[in-house]
Each structure stands twice: as structure tokens, then as C-alpha cells.
Amino acid sequence: MKKPSGTSYDSLYGLCRAFYSGVPDPRAPNASIKLPDYFLSAMAMFQLKYPSLLAFDKGRTKKEEVNLRQLFGINKVPSDTSMRQTLDEIPPSQLQPLFGQVLGEVEKSGKLKQYEAIYL
């Protein structure tokens, strides 16, 4: 699979999706919800500005369910309890390289230049 590049929403989201697919899943191989769906659901929760996991779990409409599948590529949305239990088992060190990849794409684009501060 070709690694997405660029700084558009779609390319950065694709970079995250590709990264999440490579994170080792500590659960049983027959888990009904794939690990990337947990990560993507967590991202969607923040992007849709839900105040909590419970609100994300209980407050979704049918249209939002369709959007989660079509826009975010989430096959099955986990419950708040399942999301918390599963994501708590993933060491942050396994996700840290993603931040470097995203930052690298933004740096490569030159879009961080405008935020540089020059101290005299």
C-alpha cells in the first residue's frame, strides 16, 4: 500500500489510517471490531466535538452512523466501554511515530514556516 503524502485532510487522515493498520493488536485474532476502527472512532469523536466517549456512543444519529462509515471509513463503531478498555491496552510508544510522520508531512509542505519565531 502506497503511503499517502501531502497536507490535505484526506492525505493526513489516510496517513493515520495506514499507520493504525500496522499497530499490533494485543487482542484475540477473532475480535469482532478491528483495532483501526477503535483509533478512527476516537479521531471521529474529537473531530465531531463530542464531549465524551459516552456521548459519542449514545448520541449518534443514523445519519452520523452513515457518515462514520463513509467519511471516516469506520466499519463498526465500538461502545464507549470497549473503546476505553481496548485503547488503554495500547502503549503510547506504539503511536508516537505517527506524530513524527504527520509533523514531517507538514514540515515538508513548508506550512510551518509562517509560525516560526525569530528571537533576537
Side-chain angles (χ1 to χ4, degrees):
M1 176 180 191
K2 186 177 180 270
K3 188 170 144 182
S5 64
T7 56
S8 71
Y9 174 83
D10 288 337
S11 64
L12 292 177
Y13 192 78
L15 182 75
C16 293
R17 173 183 284 295
F19 182 87
Y20 295 146
S21 295
V23 174
D25 192 341
R27 302 170 305 146
N30 65 345
S32 63
I33 301 176
K34 301 299 179 201
L35 190 58
D37 280 349
Y38 283 90
F39 292 119
L40 295 170
S41 293
M43 286 180 64
M45 180 193 75
F46 285 106
Q47 290 173 355
L48 295 172
K49 300 187 183 343
Y50 279 95
S52 68
L53 287 172
L54 183 60
F56 179 67
D57 188 23
K58 302 293 182 201
R60 285 190 312 273
T61 65
K62 292 291 183 194
K63 285 184 180 183
E64 286 175 324
E65 289 282 345
V66 171
N67 285 342
L68 289 172
R69 278 192 288 286
Q70 293 178 343
L71 299 175
F72 294 96
I74 299 167
N75 296 314
K76 187 171 182 188
V77 180
S79 70
D80 68 314
T81 302
S82 176
M83 192 182 311
R84 193 177 312 104
Q85 290 173 342
T86 300
L87 294 180
D88 281 352
E89 296 301 314
I90 307 299
S93 61
Q94 288 186 344
L95 301 176
Q96 194 168 7
L98 176 60
F99 294 100
Q101 290 178 15
V102 170
L103 183 61
E105 289 297 322
V106 177
E107 282 179 332
K108 204 167 29 173
S109 74
K111 292 184 179 181
L112 289 179
K113 277 283 195 208
Q114 63 186 334
Y115 299 102
E116 259 182 24
I118 300 174
Y119 296 100
L120 301 175

